[in-house]
Amino acid sequence: MHDQELVGPYKLVAVDVREQMVLCRALEGGNCAGDNLPEPTIFAAGGDDRFVVLARHPTAVGERMNRGVAEFYYLERSASETDPRFRAEVLGPFDRDQFEAEKRRLGLPAFSVVFEDLE
C-alpha cells in the first residue's frame, strides 16, 4: 500500500502494487475520490497552490504499464476541491513537447515526486 500526500487534498495512492499508482482527492472520513482523474500508472506528480501536474504510463486493466508511452496532464486547483461532488477538469493527455509548452505558458509546477521504479 502506498499513500502519499501531494498538495491540498490530492494524494498518490496504490493499493496492491505500485503499478496501480493513481491520483485521488482525500475526502472526509478517509475516502479518496478518483473521479475524472487519470488512471494508472502515475510515475511523476507535483503541485502548488494553482495547479497539479502528473505524468503517467497508460495501463489497461489486467495488463502491465506501457513504459513506451508517456502522457502528461494538469489540472487547475479550485476552492471547491474538497466537496465530494467536485469533479476536476483535467487537461491532457499531452506529449512531452506539448506539456513543456503548457508549462512555460502557464507557469506549471515541477514534478516534486518521481517514482524512478515506475518511470
Side-chain angles (χ1 to χ4, degrees):
M1 169 91 179
H2 183 95
D3 188 339
Q4 177 179 358
E5 290 182 22
L6 182 62
V7 62
Y10 293 96
K11 299 168 50 169
L12 295 164
V13 176
V15 177
D16 294 322
V17 294
R18 289 173 59 85
E19 287 81 8
Q20 295 174 341
M21 193 69 64
V22 296
L23 179 74
C24 67
R25 286 181 306 108
L27 303 173
E28 285 188 35
N31 292 329
C32 201
D35 300 338
N36 205 37
L37 297 174
E39 298 290 321
T41 298
I42 306 285
F43 67 86
D48 61 17
D49 59 342
R50 277 196 67 206
F51 297 101
V52 173
V53 294
L54 32 121
R56 79 172 190 139
H57 296 302
T59 304
V61 175
E63 294 183 20
R64 297 187 56 82
M65 74 175 136
N66 182 354
R67 290 180 195 261
V69 177
E71 299 176 340
F72 299 85
Y73 300 83
Y74 71 90
L75 61 98
E76 191 164 4
R77 296 192 55 204
S78 167
S80 306
E81 65 194 11
T82 57
D83 184 327
R85 298 167 295 189
F86 175 76
R87 298 291 181 264
E89 181 182 353
V90 179
L91 296 155
F94 298 100
D95 65 25
R96 188 175 302 277
D97 291 338
Q98 292 169 326
F99 183 75
E100 288 300 321
E102 287 294 285
K103 189 174 179 180
R104 285 188 301 276
R105 183 176 75 84
L106 297 170
L108 297 175
F111 295 122
S112 57
V113 176
V114 177
F115 300 107
E116 292 180 8
D117 61 318
L118 300 176
E119 196 169 18

